[in-house]
Amino acid sequence: MNREVVIVGGGPAGMLMGLLLAKEKIQVTVLEKNTTFNRDFRGETIAPGSVFLLKKLGVFKALEEHGFIKVQKIKMYDREEKLFSVNFDDFNHPQKFGIDIPQPVVLEALKQKASSYPNFEYIHGATCTDLIKDGEKVVGIRYSKEKEEHQIKCRLVIGAEGRFSRLRTLGHFAVEKKEFSRDLIWFKVPKPEGWEEGNLIKVYKHDHVIILPTYPNDLRVGTYIYLGGNRETKAKGIAAFIDKVCMIEPRLRKPMEKHIKSWDDTTLLKIFTAHVDQWAKDGLILIGDAAHTLSPILGQGVNIAMQDAFELLPYVNSGLKTYEGPLPAHHFDDYISKRKKQVSFVAGFQERQEQNLAASTPFQCMLRKVKMKLLDKAPFKIKVMKKLQYGVVANETTEGLT
Ligand SMILES: Cc1cc2nc3c(=O)[nH]c(=O)nc-3n(C[C@H](O)[C@H](O)[C@H](O)COP(=O)(O)OP(=O)(O)OC[C@H]3O[C@@H](n4cnc5c(N)ncnc54)[C@H](O)[C@@H]3O)c2cc1C
């Protein structure tokens, strides 16, 4: 079988890319190894910039029909003392909120929309196993489905298969991986009555919790433990863990005591970041988590992944018209340099916040308080947060979307 483009991975990056290319009448196939979108849990918060893209693409209606939680504020408190807040209403942009919605709903909506184009193909239960090469150039992929081997030849393979990308290895990309200095424990509890809107970060001395209202009526809570401290944390027992969290946010005690009965009600997340140096080889490009796995701070992974796809579209379009055969790596130089700037801006911001959150001595905690309060009052606060939350569509650049 021959296609113009094959996308490996049906996550936010791959499905959005598939829809964008389908709209351009490009023969595109998306391969997804799972048979449903109910795969491993991935983020549920979508930043306003990506919500704006989904609206422009006519996908948003399906999300409204399902229902979501509006996310309009981010707040940081040292226990009850406000350190920092941002309200998306203050942004000079028509999209005033992000959303929290199960990711499978978004992926299904993207697939439905893309399927309305006859040139779009989605193959699920299909695991990409290898690249097909002509010399050094990638000219297609091999995949297995129901124990049978298949292959597709194409002019561009887009690797969008997430943080454990196989194409990253098969394509011999140089990648820099960093393990975080701490592990994260997540859990979900029903939202207590009267809980306020917005994402909340609460710090207290050397500890903190991240609390995200989650569809339909829950809170997703994350708290750090030191790297490799899982066994020790567990040995102290679940009651001690509840105490640790409720010392910072006492309003969580009731729902935690009722719903967090054992460690099975929690999830340990090993945090690492990975950055690929050059995202493209002849006939192959990586996007989303495959090219850059970010930390979960401020939930930017989906946003960046979707914007990678959006910004790649004109390059694929022009490449298919300009060249014959596989698209050369150098065609994407400009794209990669633009995207890397945005990714390193986000990663830099996350790193500074991580350092703030990791404050451990009383002096560091005091410094954090001062820094966050200064940032809260800084004239550039809105500009920085807008760049983070809207990325490529900060200036409403929607050319090619309607
Ligand atoms: C626990 C957790 C919570 C998070 N919370 C948030 C959040 O709230 N907000 C946010 O913005 N980000 C969040 N993130 C990050 C976010 O989920 C990712 O950045 C985002 O999903 C990246 O999208 P992607 O399309 O690049 O990759 P993925 O979403 O990982 O999608 C990759 C897809 O490729 C498929 N695949 C993999 N290998 C193959 C193969 N060989 N063949 C075929 N298919 C394959 C996978 O099954 C998967 O469906 C979170 C991440 C984690 C782990």
Side-chain angles (χ1 to χ4, degrees), residues 7-15 31-34 36-37 39-47 100 103 107 126-129 143 159-167 184 186 212 220 267 269-270 287-296 298-306 308:
I7 300 167
V8 182
M15 289 312 299
L31 288 186
E32 167 55 48
K33 70 175 179 185
N34 290 307
T36 74
F37 287 125
R39 52 196 191 133
D40 297 347
F41 173 76
R42 290 282 184 267
E44 302 196 334
T45 310
I46 304 184
D100 187 282
Q103 217 184 76
L107 300 177
T127 302
C128 175
T129 52
Y143 70 93
E161 359 88 277
R163 52 183 42 215
F164 303 110
S165 168
R166 185 167 191 148
L167 297 192
L184 188 65
W186 279 109
L212 313 174
R220 192 152 52 99
T267 310
L269 182 64
K270 287 264 172 213
I287 60 171
D289 271 20
H292 46 72
T293 308
L294 296 169
S295 104
L298 290 174
Q300 286 301 307
V302 172
N303 202 23
I304 288 276
M306 286 191 165
D308 281 356

Side-chain angles (χ1 to χ4, degrees), residues 37-209:
F37 287 125
N38 285 318
R39 52 196 191 133
D40 297 347
F41 173 76
R42 290 282 184 267
E44 302 196 334
T45 310
I46 304 184
S50 292
V51 175
F52 188 66
L53 288 182
L54 295 172
K55 274 188 179 170
K56 289 285 167 187
L57 284 164
V59 175
F60 193 66
K61 200 162 176 290
L63 310 188
E64 281 181 314
E65 279 164 10
H66 175 274
F68 51 73
I69 294 181
K70 278 188 186 179
V71 181
Q72 211 154 17
K73 293 179 191 150
I74 300 173
K75 295 161 290 178
M76 183 173 181
Y77 279 77
D78 188 328
R79 279 200 124 191
E80 303 316 314
E81 184 182 353
K82 194 188 113 185
L83 303 184
F84 175 83
S85 73
V86 65
N87 187 336
F88 301 161
D89 230 0
D90 296 337
F91 292 126
N92 173 22
H93 195 282
Q95 182 56 39
K96 301 285 191 194
F97 59 88
I99 61 174
D100 187 282
I101 186 166
Q103 217 184 76
V105 178
V106 179
L107 300 177
E108 185 60 40
L110 288 166
K111 189 188 95 183
Q112 287 299 331
K113 188 80 186 172
S115 300
S116 63
Y117 298 91
N119 47 309
F120 175 82
E121 180 186 40
Y122 178 76
I123 310 179
H124 65 203
T127 302
C128 175
T129 52
D130 208 354
L131 292 167
I132 305 172
K133 286 188 172 176
D134 176 6
E136 287 304 302
K137 292 178 184 165
V138 173
V139 293
I141 53 101
R142 293 195 173 83
Y143 70 93
S144 67
K145 182 175 161 77
E146 290 158 1
K147 296 188 181 149
E148 277 186 28
E149 297 301 314
H150 306 262
Q151 66 171 44
I152 310 178
K153 294 262 185 87
C154 60
R155 295 179 56 199
L156 181 67
V157 174
I158 301 179
E161 359 88 277
R163 52 183 42 215
F164 303 110
S165 168
R166 185 167 191 148
L167 297 192
R168 199 159 66 190
T169 313
L170 291 171
H172 304 293
F173 288 92
V175 56
E176 193 192 338
K177 270 194 180 180
K178 253 199 232 163
E179 207 175 53
F180 244 46
S181 56
R182 297 180 295 159
D183 290 334
L184 188 65
I185 296 185
W186 279 109
F187 58 91
K188 234 184 200 186
V189 287
K191 199 192 294 179
E193 193 81 4
W195 195 272
E196 67 275 14
E197 194 267 304
N199 291 345
L200 180 63
I201 303 160
K202 273 203 144 182
V203 296
Y204 179 53
K205 294 185 179 167
H206 63 280
D207 221 342
H208 72 268
V209 287

